[in-house]
Amino acid sequence: MRLPLLALASALVLAGAPALARPAIVVPPIRFAEHHLANGLQVLESRDVTTPNVTIQMWYHVGAKNDPPGRSGFAHLFEHLMFKATRDMPPEEMDRLTEDVGGMNNAFTADDTTAFYEVVPANQLQRLIWAEAERMNSLVVDEANFHSERAVVEEELRQRVLAAPYGRLFYLDIARDSFSVVPYRRPPIGSIANLEAADLADVRAFHAIYYRPDDATLVVAGNFDPRQLDAWIEKYFGATPRPAAPIPQVTAVEPARTTSRVVDDYGPNVPLPAVVITWLAPPAASPDAAALQVLDAVLTAGKSSRLYDDLVYKSELADQVFSSADLHLKAGLFYAGLILAGGKTADQGLAALRSEIARVRAAPVGAAELEIAKNQILAQTVRERETIQGRANALGDAVVEEGDPNRANTDVASVAAVTPADVQRVALKYLDPKTETVIRYLPATARPAGALGAASAAPASDVGLVPLPPTNAPVATLLPPAERQAPPPAGPPVKAVLPVPATRTLANGLEVVVAKSSDLPLIAADLFVPGGAAADPPGKSGLGDLVSDVITEGAAGRSAEEIARSTEALGADLEASSSSEHQALALSVLAPQASAALAIMADVAERPTFAPQELERARKQALDELAVAYQQPGELAGIVDEPLVFAGTPLGHAQDGTPASLPAIGRADLATYQQTWWRPDNAILVVTGDVTPERGFALAQQAFGGWTRPPGPPPAVPQVAPSAAPRQVAVDLPGTGQAAVVLSGPTISRSDPGYYQALVADQVLGGGYSARLNQDVRVKRGLSYGAGSELSAMRQSGLFAAQAQTRNEAAGQVADLMAADIAALAGSPPDPEELANRKSALVGAYGRELATAAGLADVLGTLAVEGVPPAELDVWPDKVQAVTADQVVGAARAALDPRRLSLIVVGDASKFGPGLEAAHPGLTIIPVSRLDPDSPTLARVP
């Protein structure tokens, strides 16, 4: 389910059912000011002086619905073009103004909007207001920019749509098969055929028609002086003229459905069939919107939801379930669906799904079920408002989809007021079986000869769309450097105040770390335990992962269903995870409910049941998920990575398990693993958010003080010392739309004295849009939607990986480019400007991670399991800033050693061409049908 972007509501209280006697959920308001410039620009401002940052968001009221005939994907193409040149800014200058000062930028295209946003230190605000005005007034749309970004958009489409097993279903088929007239039937991402048909004149006309002040909303949230901000907005935007021509409006109206129908769609690399039922729904501003959002939550929000409980948990018919109240400015869609479990058919799924819809139409939901659904929505709303970006996003979304920013403060109250009768009423009104559209999504091999089912990659019809009117707008060109207007100067820095962690060890040995980070009534509590995949016994890869899958599925007399209902009724999220060297339980809960939620968390950690039926259920789901992962190039490359790099060590196996290893794991294995590693003197509890140290320690003692310490010392952490020679491996995945390319090798541990130097070296190489890999692969050549690298330093060792996805034919070229960039960094130092910029980007990203309770808890917990004291939190930025250019070169040679890197390529080998094998004569090609990540050769014997 996609939770709606609910605005942050006026203070409201949702009272629980009297018998439950739970504390009320309080949702504070977003406070904002609104005004309009004379040229029509709408401005929304939300001030928060507790943050050192500010976000600037420009929401243009043009989206995929405005794409002209034969040009689907135009609005999305402009999402990319707006990051190129203006009259005064050379290409990629937006990244200089954001990433290089410790901020970030991005954008998204939806049906009704194209939105651009930045998060930067507050002293950069004037510069970004100037830059957004430049993008509106003088964007340079020339042949070079147009062709380079069109190539990148095509790679994004291949990655998101054509290379993912269900990409066609979610990006193309659902909307196209559901709408008949309104432009929402065409995907925002467009189609390669339409993109290739576009010309420069079309693109320039589109910008002139829609990118104007009276078609935009500027949202600013964070630390600013309101008077100064208003003066800057007037200065840079006030002179922008309002065009005389009216903004073309989409007037198409979707006709009511009068019949039902069934559509069969097909895609390559579809391991499990899927079924979706769609119905037409009202616009987002409809009075029925809140009840439809609650209905959506009743169906699929959490493990206690109807579709999950009945179809995934009880009947084991489905591997995944989903639903959405997908409501837009002009019309809406409601859909529910499932991806079948292995061995189940689409017809079985359709029958079960129809039965669930009939049940929600036949009788009102119960009071407790309704409370859980609404609490899920309200708690998620609190989490979304934790950042200035989330608050600004709520305001912008309310304007675009509902026409009123105040809906950001009233929609949540509407959700809280929904009754059982309301949910049944909208189910009866909209989810009518007589008007349903059924989509069965099947593997291409199942298509009958001569079948006329919809072709999943085909664009939707252009009937009823608004053509581009003629325009005589002036064409902007990039001025010579000497004639360009320079960005305004930065203001005085606003110093960040980092949380101060406090630590205490309970009598049973549990280490507790508490850090107050917010006054928002939200608490994160993470329990970290060493072990992880490194503790998997030989022949039982995936054991640690299965433990994390099953540990929340029953504990201390509570069944899996009771745990799900109890936590979700509190509006809490409780999830377990497993990584290479540790496992974790992560809890997010509103502060008043923290004590009750922590009690459930403690039961799960201390007294898991590991019921045989829960293990069997989790095993089947894990095998189904592997079947899906084995059809995705990026996922599959990640599965092969550690077995290749760490061969012969405790990490030299598939962390998620394999089709051979998972069936060999029994209940006794899970119980032994948990009893060995999950003990109080081997664990760290981190509590962050709206909590003082005294309150945090009291909560820890109350929940975990009775956890008994077993006799004897905790187990030793497995030693990981990789020594395997690098290899060159390609996995043949016939029919996939893209290839994943990875260069990977062992690197340093977290305790290595050169850690910070290596971290900066990795940032220079591949840590962001402005880093070398992305510049060479995406920006200069348009070969990928994105290229980057990551240094994962662990307690015992580390993993370095550079990666990108590209069209199959370009896999060899991308591999060579990445290898050359890695080698170049080891040969010469970055210049002072590049080094300063990349360090700023690293420190800025670190600060944004600490801005949420969950992010701070994860950072502190990871430090603890890596053996680093919590005081490192405060000195981390200074240690990054102290790294020199020569140290970067030394780290590149030692920690990112090109001689130790293995090459992994996953794609359609028939399209690689001879260049890949010629450049890598030792390349081993393994058919995906023979892949075995636990084998020393990575392949099963035929």
Tab-separated table of all heavy atoms in Angstrom, residues 327-382:
chain	number	residue	atom	x	y	z
A	327	LEU	N	-5.515	8.963	-5.549
A	327	LEU	CA	-6.430	10.043	-5.884
A	327	LEU	C	-5.656	11.251	-6.397
A	327	LEU	O	-4.657	11.663	-5.795
A	327	LEU	CB	-7.258	10.431	-4.666
A	327	LEU	CG	-7.918	9.261	-3.915
A	327	LEU	CD1	-8.750	9.784	-2.760
A	327	LEU	CD2	-8.747	8.401	-4.849
A	328	HIS	N	-6.145	11.845	-7.501
A	328	HIS	CA	-5.454	12.945	-8.143
A	328	HIS	C	-6.358	14.164	-8.253
A	328	HIS	O	-7.491	14.167	-7.772
A	328	HIS	CB	-4.968	12.519	-9.531
A	328	HIS	CG	-4.084	11.319	-9.508
A	328	HIS	ND1	-2.860	11.301	-8.895
A	328	HIS	CD2	-4.257	10.067	-10.030
A	328	HIS	CE1	-2.313	10.114	-9.035
A	328	HIS	NE2	-3.143	9.351	-9.712
A	329	LEU	N	-5.845	15.182	-8.946
A	329	LEU	CA	-6.588	16.430	-9.082
A	329	LEU	C	-7.884	16.248	-9.873
A	329	LEU	O	-8.930	16.783	-9.511
A	329	LEU	CB	-5.707	17.473	-9.771
A	329	LEU	CG	-6.331	18.848	-10.022
A	329	LEU	CD1	-6.633	19.538	-8.701
A	329	LEU	CD2	-5.399	19.698	-10.871
A	330	LYS	N	-7.835	15.483	-10.946
A	330	LYS	CA	-8.971	15.364	-11.852
A	330	LYS	C	-9.782	14.083	-11.653
A	330	LYS	O	-10.967	14.033	-12.010
A	330	LYS	CB	-8.483	15.404	-13.303
A	330	LYS	CG	-7.812	16.707	-13.704
A	330	LYS	CD	-8.832	17.823	-13.816
A	330	LYS	CE	-8.207	19.093	-14.363
A	330	LYS	NZ	-9.190	20.184	-14.465
A	331	ALA	N	-9.177	13.052	-11.162
A	331	ALA	CA	-9.856	11.764	-11.011
A	331	ALA	C	-9.017	10.888	-10.097
A	331	ALA	O	-7.910	11.260	-9.707
A	331	ALA	CB	-10.056	11.090	-12.375
A	332	GLY	N	-9.546	9.745	-9.765
A	332	GLY	CA	-8.822	8.844	-8.893
A	332	GLY	C	-8.972	7.403	-9.310
A	332	GLY	O	-9.790	7.047	-10.165
A	333	LEU	N	-8.163	6.587	-8.685
A	333	LEU	CA	-8.185	5.150	-8.927
A	333	LEU	C	-8.003	4.455	-7.590
A	333	LEU	O	-7.197	4.890	-6.767
A	333	LEU	CB	-7.045	4.767	-9.881
A	333	LEU	CG	-7.097	3.384	-10.536
A	333	LEU	CD1	-8.255	3.322	-11.523
A	333	LEU	CD2	-5.782	3.107	-11.269
A	334	PHE	N	-8.787	3.417	-7.357
A	334	PHE	CA	-8.559	2.570	-6.186
A	334	PHE	C	-8.232	1.190	-6.714
A	334	PHE	O	-8.922	0.682	-7.601
A	334	PHE	CB	-9.798	2.507	-5.286
A	334	PHE	CG	-9.520	1.884	-3.936
A	334	PHE	CD1	-9.285	2.680	-2.832
A	334	PHE	CD2	-9.466	0.506	-3.780
A	334	PHE	CE1	-9.013	2.121	-1.582
A	334	PHE	CE2	-9.187	-0.065	-2.550
A	334	PHE	CZ	-8.961	0.745	-1.439
A	335	TYR	N	-7.162	0.606	-6.185
A	335	TYR	CA	-6.852	-0.751	-6.640
A	335	TYR	C	-6.311	-1.587	-5.494
A	335	TYR	O	-5.790	-1.076	-4.499
A	335	TYR	CB	-5.885	-0.752	-7.823
A	335	TYR	CG	-4.525	-0.145	-7.593
A	335	TYR	CD1	-3.478	-0.869	-7.027
A	335	TYR	CD2	-4.257	1.161	-7.997
A	335	TYR	CE1	-2.229	-0.318	-6.851
A	335	TYR	CE2	-3.004	1.728	-7.831
A	335	TYR	CZ	-1.988	0.979	-7.260
A	335	TYR	OH	-0.738	1.529	-7.085
A	336	ALA	N	-6.490	-2.884	-5.645
A	336	ALA	CA	-5.965	-3.858	-4.687
A	336	ALA	C	-5.405	-5.019	-5.477
A	336	ALA	O	-5.940	-5.374	-6.543
A	336	ALA	CB	-7.066	-4.336	-3.745
A	337	GLY	N	-4.344	-5.603	-4.979
A	337	GLY	CA	-3.744	-6.686	-5.737
A	337	GLY	C	-2.819	-7.527	-4.906
A	337	GLY	O	-2.596	-7.286	-3.716
A	338	LEU	N	-2.259	-8.535	-5.554
A	338	LEU	CA	-1.334	-9.432	-4.881
A	338	LEU	C	-0.391	-10.062	-5.881
A	338	LEU	O	-0.709	-10.211	-7.069
A	338	LEU	CB	-2.097	-10.510	-4.103
A	338	LEU	CG	-3.202	-11.287	-4.815
A	338	LEU	CD1	-2.657	-12.516	-5.534
A	338	LEU	CD2	-4.268	-11.711	-3.818
A	339	ILE	N	0.798	-10.380	-5.398
A	339	ILE	CA	1.745	-11.214	-6.130
A	339	ILE	C	1.650	-12.593	-5.502
A	339	ILE	O	1.808	-12.753	-4.285
A	339	ILE	CB	3.172	-10.653	-6.047
A	339	ILE	CG1	3.230	-9.279	-6.710
A	339	ILE	CG2	4.170	-11.600	-6.700
A	339	ILE	CD1	4.554	-8.572	-6.560
A	340	LEU	N	1.338	-13.579	-6.334
A	340	LEU	CA	1.044	-14.917	-5.831
A	340	LEU	C	2.277	-15.575	-5.224
A	340	LEU	O	3.413	-15.273	-5.609
A	340	LEU	CB	0.501	-15.797	-6.955
A	340	LEU	CG	-0.986	-15.691	-7.309
A	340	LEU	CD1	-1.873	-16.063	-6.143
A	340	LEU	CD2	-1.347	-14.335	-7.833
A	341	ALA	N	2.047	-16.477	-4.295
A	341	ALA	CA	3.109	-17.320	-3.778
A	341	ALA	C	3.457	-18.385	-4.815
A	341	ALA	O	2.690	-18.653	-5.749
A	341	ALA	CB	2.678	-17.972	-2.467
A	342	GLY	N	4.627	-18.998	-4.650
A	342	GLY	CA	5.056	-20.027	-5.581
A	342	GLY	C	4.054	-21.169	-5.661
A	342	GLY	O	3.547	-21.649	-4.642
A	343	GLY	N	3.738	-21.590	-6.890
A	343	GLY	CA	2.814	-22.700	-7.092
A	343	GLY	C	1.354	-22.307	-7.138
A	343	GLY	O	0.494	-23.152	-7.399
A	344	LYS	N	1.033	-21.034	-6.894
A	344	LYS	CA	-0.355	-20.575	-6.917
A	344	LYS	C	-0.645	-19.920	-8.267
A	344	LYS	O	0.236	-19.378	-8.926
A	344	LYS	CB	-0.629	-19.583	-5.784
A	344	LYS	CG	-0.252	-20.097	-4.402
A	344	LYS	CD	-1.023	-21.344	-4.005
A	344	LYS	CE	-0.664	-21.783	-2.586
A	344	LYS	NZ	-1.385	-23.016	-2.187
A	345	THR	N	-1.908	-19.938	-8.661
A	345	THR	CA	-2.280	-19.429	-9.975
A	345	THR	C	-2.980	-18.078	-9.867
A	345	THR	O	-3.522	-17.711	-8.816
A	345	THR	CB	-3.220	-20.408	-10.693
A	345	THR	OG1	-4.486	-20.439	-10.001
A	345	THR	CG2	-2.619	-21.809	-10.734
A	346	ALA	N	-2.992	-17.363	-10.990
A	346	ALA	CA	-3.669	-16.074	-11.030
A	346	ALA	C	-5.155	-16.215	-10.741
A	346	ALA	O	-5.754	-15.367	-10.076
A	346	ALA	CB	-3.450	-15.421	-12.398
A	347	ASP	N	-5.777	-17.291	-11.227
A	347	ASP	CA	-7.207	-17.478	-10.987
A	347	ASP	C	-7.489	-17.706	-9.500
A	347	ASP	O	-8.508	-17.229	-8.978
A	347	ASP	CB	-7.724	-18.658	-11.812
A	347	ASP	CG	-7.809	-18.306	-13.301
A	347	ASP	OD1	-7.803	-17.106	-13.625
A	347	ASP	OD2	-7.854	-19.239	-14.120
A	348	GLN	N	-6.609	-18.433	-8.811
A	348	GLN	CA	-6.778	-18.601	-7.369
A	348	GLN	C	-6.680	-17.244	-6.663
A	348	GLN	O	-7.452	-16.943	-5.751
A	348	GLN	CB	-5.699	-19.543	-6.813
A	348	GLN	CG	-5.891	-21.004	-7.187
A	348	GLN	CD	-4.718	-21.850	-6.697
A	348	GLN	OE1	-3.564	-21.601	-7.041
A	348	GLN	NE2	-5.024	-22.853	-5.884
A	349	GLY	N	-5.708	-16.443	-7.074
A	349	GLY	CA	-5.544	-15.132	-6.471
A	349	GLY	C	-6.732	-14.233	-6.720
A	349	GLY	O	-7.184	-13.519	-5.818
A	350	LEU	N	-7.267	-14.277	-7.938
A	350	LEU	CA	-8.413	-13.438	-8.270
A	350	LEU	C	-9.629	-13.818	-7.436
A	350	LEU	O	-10.349	-12.949	-6.920
A	350	LEU	CB	-8.728	-13.565	-9.761
A	350	LEU	CG	-9.943	-12.787	-10.258
A	350	LEU	CD1	-9.816	-11.303	-9.950
A	350	LEU	CD2	-10.134	-13.016	-11.755
A	351	ALA	N	-9.880	-15.111	-7.281
A	351	ALA	CA	-11.028	-15.553	-6.489
A	351	ALA	C	-10.900	-15.087	-5.045
A	351	ALA	O	-11.872	-14.610	-4.433
A	351	ALA	CB	-11.148	-17.082	-6.561
A	352	ALA	N	-9.700	-15.210	-4.473
A	352	ALA	CA	-9.493	-14.798	-3.084
A	352	ALA	C	-9.622	-13.287	-2.930
A	352	ALA	O	-10.201	-12.790	-1.957
A	352	ALA	CB	-8.113	-15.263	-2.610
A	353	LEU	N	-9.094	-12.552	-3.893
A	353	LEU	CA	-9.160	-11.095	-3.821
A	353	LEU	C	-10.602	-10.609	-3.930
A	353	LEU	O	-11.041	-9.724	-3.177
A	353	LEU	CB	-8.305	-10.496	-4.937
A	353	LEU	CG	-8.008	-9.000	-4.890
A	353	LEU	CD1	-7.398	-8.595	-3.553
A	353	LEU	CD2	-7.077	-8.624	-6.042
A	354	ARG	N	-11.354	-11.193	-4.821
A	354	ARG	CA	-12.768	-10.828	-4.942
A	354	ARG	C	-13.537	-11.137	-3.664
A	354	ARG	O	-14.416	-10.375	-3.247
A	354	ARG	CB	-13.388	-11.574	-6.128
A	354	ARG	CG	-13.086	-10.935	-7.481
A	354	ARG	CD	-13.610	-11.775	-8.610
A	354	ARG	NE	-13.619	-11.053	-9.885
A	354	ARG	CZ	-13.651	-11.622	-11.076
A	354	ARG	NH1	-13.678	-12.967	-11.169
A	354	ARG	NH2	-13.664	-10.896	-12.183
A	355	SER	N	-13.186	-12.247	-3.021
A	355	SER	CA	-13.852	-12.604	-1.770
A	355	SER	C	-13.574	-11.567	-0.682
A	355	SER	O	-14.479	-11.195	0.079
A	355	SER	CB	-13.378	-13.987	-1.313
A	355	SER	OG	-13.942	-14.327	-0.066
A	356	GLU	N	-12.335	-11.063	-0.620
A	356	GLU	CA	-11.990	-10.054	0.384
A	356	GLU	C	-12.729	-8.741	0.117
A	356	GLU	O	-13.203	-8.076	1.043
A	356	GLU	CB	-10.479	-9.806	0.390
A	356	GLU	CG	-9.659	-10.970	0.920
A	356	GLU	CD	-9.872	-11.219	2.401
A	356	GLU	OE1	-10.296	-10.284	3.113
A	356	GLU	OE2	-9.607	-12.342	2.854
A	357	ILE	N	-12.844	-8.362	-1.138
A	357	ILE	CA	-13.557	-7.130	-1.470
A	357	ILE	C	-15.041	-7.279	-1.143
A	357	ILE	O	-15.680	-6.356	-0.609
A	357	ILE	CB	-13.356	-6.769	-2.956
A	357	ILE	CG1	-11.867	-6.548	-3.249
A	357	ILE	CG2	-14.175	-5.552	-3.324
A	357	ILE	CD1	-11.206	-5.495	-2.399
A	358	ALA	N	-15.603	-8.448	-1.431
A	358	ALA	CA	-17.015	-8.685	-1.103
A	358	ALA	C	-17.237	-8.592	0.399
A	358	ALA	O	-18.258	-8.053	0.860
A	358	ALA	CB	-17.443	-10.055	-1.625
A	359	ARG	N	-16.275	-9.059	1.184
A	359	ARG	CA	-16.425	-9.038	2.641
A	359	ARG	C	-16.422	-7.615	3.175
A	359	ARG	O	-17.209	-7.277	4.077
A	359	ARG	CB	-15.299	-9.856	3.283
A	359	ARG	CG	-15.408	-9.989	4.795
A	359	ARG	CD	-14.572	-11.144	5.300
A	359	ARG	NE	-13.161	-10.890	5.253
A	359	ARG	CZ	-12.438	-10.440	6.292
A	359	ARG	NH1	-13.039	-10.191	7.448
A	359	ARG	NH2	-11.149	-10.249	6.180
A	360	VAL	N	-15.560	-6.745	2.659
A	360	VAL	CA	-15.512	-5.374	3.166
A	360	VAL	C	-16.733	-4.572	2.712
A	360	VAL	O	-17.108	-3.576	3.343
A	360	VAL	CB	-14.196	-4.686	2.738
A	360	VAL	CG1	-14.261	-4.171	1.311
A	360	VAL	CG2	-13.814	-3.563	3.702
A	361	ARG	N	-17.378	-5.019	1.636
A	361	ARG	CA	-18.612	-4.376	1.196
A	361	ARG	C	-19.821	-4.881	1.979
A	361	ARG	O	-20.815	-4.173	2.134
A	361	ARG	CB	-18.835	-4.652	-0.304
A	361	ARG	CG	-17.944	-3.855	-1.220
A	361	ARG	CD	-17.962	-4.402	-2.669
A	361	ARG	NE	-19.297	-4.581	-3.195
A	361	ARG	CZ	-20.020	-3.647	-3.813
A	361	ARG	NH1	-19.505	-2.429	-3.974
A	361	ARG	NH2	-21.226	-3.910	-4.283
A	362	ALA	N	-19.726	-6.103	2.492
A	362	ALA	CA	-20.903	-6.743	3.089
A	362	ALA	C	-21.192	-6.275	4.511
A	362	ALA	O	-22.348	-6.295	4.956
A	362	ALA	CB	-20.736	-8.255	3.072
A	363	ALA	N	-20.161	-5.863	5.252
A	363	ALA	CA	-20.369	-5.518	6.659
A	363	ALA	C	-19.374	-4.449	7.088
A	363	ALA	O	-18.256	-4.389	6.553
A	363	ALA	CB	-20.212	-6.767	7.535
A	364	PRO	N	-19.747	-3.608	8.045
A	364	PRO	CA	-18.813	-2.587	8.527
A	364	PRO	C	-17.606	-3.226	9.210
A	364	PRO	O	-17.695	-4.316	9.794
A	364	PRO	CB	-19.645	-1.789	9.544
A	364	PRO	CG	-21.069	-2.125	9.239
A	364	PRO	CD	-21.061	-3.525	8.697
A	365	VAL	N	-16.466	-2.554	9.154
A	365	VAL	CA	-15.298	-3.024	9.889
A	365	VAL	C	-15.557	-2.834	11.380
A	365	VAL	O	-16.321	-1.961	11.792
A	365	VAL	CB	-14.023	-2.262	9.469
A	365	VAL	CG1	-13.728	-2.488	8.006
A	365	VAL	CG2	-14.154	-0.776	9.752
A	366	GLY	N	-14.899	-3.655	12.187
A	366	GLY	CA	-15.063	-3.549	13.628
A	366	GLY	C	-14.358	-2.325	14.188
A	366	GLY	O	-13.463	-1.744	13.555
A	367	ALA	N	-14.742	-1.930	15.398
A	367	ALA	CA	-14.169	-0.733	16.018
A	367	ALA	C	-12.666	-0.861	16.226
A	367	ALA	O	-11.906	0.075	15.961
A	367	ALA	CB	-14.875	-0.465	17.352
A	368	ALA	N	-12.217	-2.029	16.698
A	368	ALA	CA	-10.779	-2.213	16.940
A	368	ALA	C	-10.007	-2.212	15.629
A	368	ALA	O	-8.918	-1.619	15.532
A	368	ALA	CB	-10.548	-3.521	17.691
A	369	GLU	N	-10.551	-2.848	14.600
A	369	GLU	CA	-9.891	-2.878	13.295
A	369	GLU	C	-9.790	-1.476	12.713
A	369	GLU	O	-8.761	-1.087	12.143
A	369	GLU	CB	-10.658	-3.804	12.352
A	369	GLU	CG	-10.007	-3.992	10.996
A	369	GLU	CD	-10.795	-4.915	10.088
A	369	GLU	OE1	-11.989	-5.167	10.372
A	369	GLU	OE2	-10.219	-5.363	9.079
A	370	LEU	N	-10.854	-0.709	12.872
A	370	LEU	CA	-10.839	0.658	12.364
A	370	LEU	C	-9.804	1.495	13.107
A	370	LEU	O	-9.077	2.295	12.498
A	370	LEU	CB	-12.226	1.280	12.525
A	370	LEU	CG	-12.355	2.726	12.013
A	370	LEU	CD1	-12.238	2.764	10.495
A	370	LEU	CD2	-13.686	3.331	12.462
A	371	GLU	N	-9.732	1.319	14.417
A	371	GLU	CA	-8.761	2.089	15.193
A	371	GLU	C	-7.341	1.781	14.738
A	371	GLU	O	-6.505	2.687	14.596
A	371	GLU	CB	-8.903	1.781	16.684
A	371	GLU	CG	-7.931	2.605	17.531
A	371	GLU	CD	-7.754	2.058	18.933
A	371	GLU	OE1	-7.946	0.842	19.126
A	371	GLU	OE2	-7.419	2.851	19.809
A	372	ILE	N	-7.039	0.511	14.497
A	372	ILE	CA	-5.696	0.141	14.045
A	372	ILE	C	-5.383	0.830	12.723
A	372	ILE	O	-4.305	1.395	12.534
A	372	ILE	CB	-5.574	-1.387	13.915
A	372	ILE	CG1	-5.600	-2.041	15.301
A	372	ILE	CG2	-4.292	-1.769	13.174
A	372	ILE	CD1	-5.631	-3.554	15.269
A	373	ALA	N	-6.319	0.792	11.796
A	373	ALA	CA	-6.089	1.397	10.480
A	373	ALA	C	-5.840	2.895	10.607
A	373	ALA	O	-4.902	3.452	10.003
A	373	ALA	CB	-7.282	1.124	9.562
A	374	LYS	N	-6.671	3.585	11.387
A	374	LYS	CA	-6.498	5.031	11.527
A	374	LYS	C	-5.212	5.361	12.287
A	374	LYS	O	-4.516	6.327	11.942
A	374	LYS	CB	-7.725	5.635	12.211
A	374	LYS	CG	-8.982	5.546	11.345
A	374	LYS	CD	-10.077	6.492	11.787
A	374	LYS	CE	-10.704	6.108	13.091
A	374	LYS	NZ	-11.918	6.912	13.383
A	375	ASN	N	-4.883	4.577	13.301
A	375	ASN	CA	-3.645	4.823	14.027
A	375	ASN	C	-2.420	4.660	13.127
A	375	ASN	O	-1.431	5.380	13.268
A	375	ASN	CB	-3.538	3.896	15.235
A	375	ASN	CG	-4.369	4.371	16.408
A	375	ASN	OD1	-5.102	5.356	16.304
A	375	ASN	ND2	-4.277	3.673	17.523
A	376	GLN	N	-2.485	3.695	12.207
A	376	GLN	CA	-1.381	3.514	11.266
A	376	GLN	C	-1.189	4.781	10.436
A	376	GLN	O	-0.070	5.240	10.220
A	376	GLN	CB	-1.675	2.329	10.337
A	376	GLN	CG	-1.651	0.970	11.011
A	376	GLN	CD	-0.245	0.436	11.127
A	376	GLN	OE1	0.480	0.758	12.065
A	376	GLN	NE2	0.152	-0.378	10.177
A	377	ILE	N	-2.273	5.347	9.944
A	377	ILE	CA	-2.192	6.549	9.114
A	377	ILE	C	-1.684	7.732	9.935
A	377	ILE	O	-0.785	8.477	9.511
A	377	ILE	CB	-3.563	6.871	8.499
A	377	ILE	CG1	-3.974	5.772	7.516
A	377	ILE	CG2	-3.536	8.217	7.793
A	377	ILE	CD1	-5.399	5.909	7.003
A	378	LEU	N	-2.238	7.916	11.126
A	378	LEU	CA	-1.869	9.076	11.939
A	378	LEU	C	-0.424	8.993	12.414
A	378	LEU	O	0.306	9.994	12.399
A	378	LEU	CB	-2.815	9.191	13.126
A	378	LEU	CG	-4.284	9.465	12.765
A	378	LEU	CD1	-5.148	9.430	14.016
A	378	LEU	CD2	-4.426	10.792	12.061
A	379	ALA	N	0.014	7.819	12.814
A	379	ALA	CA	1.407	7.675	13.255
A	379	ALA	C	2.368	7.915	12.101
A	379	ALA	O	3.425	8.536	12.269
A	379	ALA	CB	1.625	6.291	13.855
A	380	GLN	N	2.013	7.419	10.921
A	380	GLN	CA	2.867	7.653	9.758
A	380	GLN	C	2.931	9.144	9.425
A	380	GLN	O	3.975	9.654	9.004
A	380	GLN	CB	2.342	6.865	8.551
A	380	GLN	CG	3.158	7.035	7.284
A	380	GLN	CD	4.592	6.581	7.426
A	380	GLN	OE1	4.905	5.749	8.290
A	380	GLN	NE2	5.479	7.122	6.615
A	381	THR	N	1.849	9.853	9.638
A	381	THR	CA	1.834	11.290	9.400
A	381	THR	C	2.813	11.995	10.329
A	381	THR	O	3.537	12.904	9.922
A	381	THR	CB	0.423	11.852	9.607
A	381	THR	OG1	-0.472	11.173	8.733
A	381	THR	CG2	0.375	13.340	9.321
A	382	VAL	N	2.863	11.577	11.596
A	382	VAL	CA	3.821	12.163	12.527
A	382	VAL	C	5.241	11.912	12.038
A	382	VAL	O	6.100	12.801	12.073
A	382	VAL	CB	3.624	11.591	13.944
A	382	VAL	CG1	4.703	12.113	14.887
A	382	VAL	CG2	2.251	11.961	14.473
